[in-house]
């Protein structure tokens, strides 16, 4: 309800077709498809665009069924494989608000090139040398600075 941009399009349940979307989608666009029954026709339209991120709120089983329908429409594996489903980083979310955070986190990760790993796992301080209180990282930084290099400590 508070999205920056929403578009309501007509859906024909007999033909399972959506009216064309008027929203301009380019390579900077991140699309999340979350409908009540017309995910496949919505994805069929979105997959014709250069959107850099296309995600579907679904279970794996539901997406497999949708993927088969997309292929039956003539879309290839490269097209179908552009869809991320189910979407979101696995943080053990249960509530709708937590699930929304998971989805936004994945979009940010895709946009910024992150890997989704906890930051604290990337760097652990090394133990101080006995008797000096100085870590290996600080000692290396001090040596670089003394040699005229740049210190990252």
């Amino acid at each position: 309800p508070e999205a920056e941009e929403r578009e309501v399009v007509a859906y024909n349940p007999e033909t399972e077709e959506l009216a064309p979307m008027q929203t301009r989608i380019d390579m900077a666009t991140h699309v999340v498809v979350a409908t009540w029954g017309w995910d496949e026709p919505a994805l069929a339209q979105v997959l014709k665009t250069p959107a850099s991120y296309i995600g579907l709120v679904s279970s794996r089983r539901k997406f497999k069924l949708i993927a088969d329908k997309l292929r039956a429409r003539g879309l290839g594996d490269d097209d179908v494989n552009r869809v991320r489903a189910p979407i979101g980083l696995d943080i053990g979310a249960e509530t709708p608000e937590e699930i929304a955070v998971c989805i936004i986190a994945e979009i940010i990760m895709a946009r910024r090139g992150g890997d989704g790993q906890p930051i604290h796992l990337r760097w652990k301080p090394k133990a101080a040398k006995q008797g000096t209180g100085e870590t290996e990282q600080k000692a290396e930084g001090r040596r670089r600075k003394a040699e005229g290099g740049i210190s990252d400590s």
Side-chain angles (χ1 to χ4, degrees), residues 10-83:
Y11 173 68
N12 183 334
E14 292 175 14
T15 62
E16 294 189 349
E17 292 293 324
L18 284 177
M21 291 184 265
Q22 300 304 308
T23 301
R24 188 176 141 267
I25 297 174
D26 59 24
M27 289 183 65
T29 306
H30 297 72
V31 178
V32 173
V33 175
T35 74
W36 290 97
W38 47 86
D39 295 331
E40 179 246 328
L43 284 171
Q45 280 193 41
V46 173
L47 284 168
K48 294 175 185 173
T49 72
S52 62
Y53 178 98
I54 301 171
L56 174 66
V57 176
S58 75
S59 65
R60 284 186 290 232
R61 184 184 75 73
K62 179 180 174 184
F63 179 62
K64 183 185 179 324
L65 297 171
I66 291 169
D68 290 343
K69 287 182 177 183
L70 290 169
R71 287 184 185 97
R73 280 181 178 248
L75 293 164
D77 285 339
D78 287 345
D79 296 316
V80 173
N81 290 336
R82 289 180 61 206
V83 180

Side-chain angles (χ1 to χ4, degrees), residues 61-137:
R61 184 184 75 73
K62 179 180 174 184
F63 179 62
K64 183 185 179 324
L65 297 171
I66 291 169
D68 290 343
K69 287 182 177 183
L70 290 169
R71 287 184 185 97
R73 280 181 178 248
L75 293 164
D77 285 339
D78 287 345
D79 296 316
V80 173
N81 290 336
R82 289 180 61 206
V83 180
R84 296 172 184 240
I87 56 174
L89 295 183
D90 185 358
I91 61 171
E94 294 181 5
T95 68
E97 295 84 1
E98 291 171 342
I99 292 167
V101 168
C102 294
I103 292 168
I104 292 301
E106 181 179 326
I107 291 170
I108 293 169
M109 181 185 73
R111 182 173 174 224
R112 300 287 188 202
D115 62 13
Q117 295 297 312
I119 295 169
H120 75 90
L121 294 178
R122 294 185 187 166
W123 180 82
K124 291 284 187 188
K126 294 182 181 174
K129 290 183 180 179
Q130 284 190 329
T132 68
E134 184 175 53
T135 65
E136 286 293 322
Q137 285 105 338

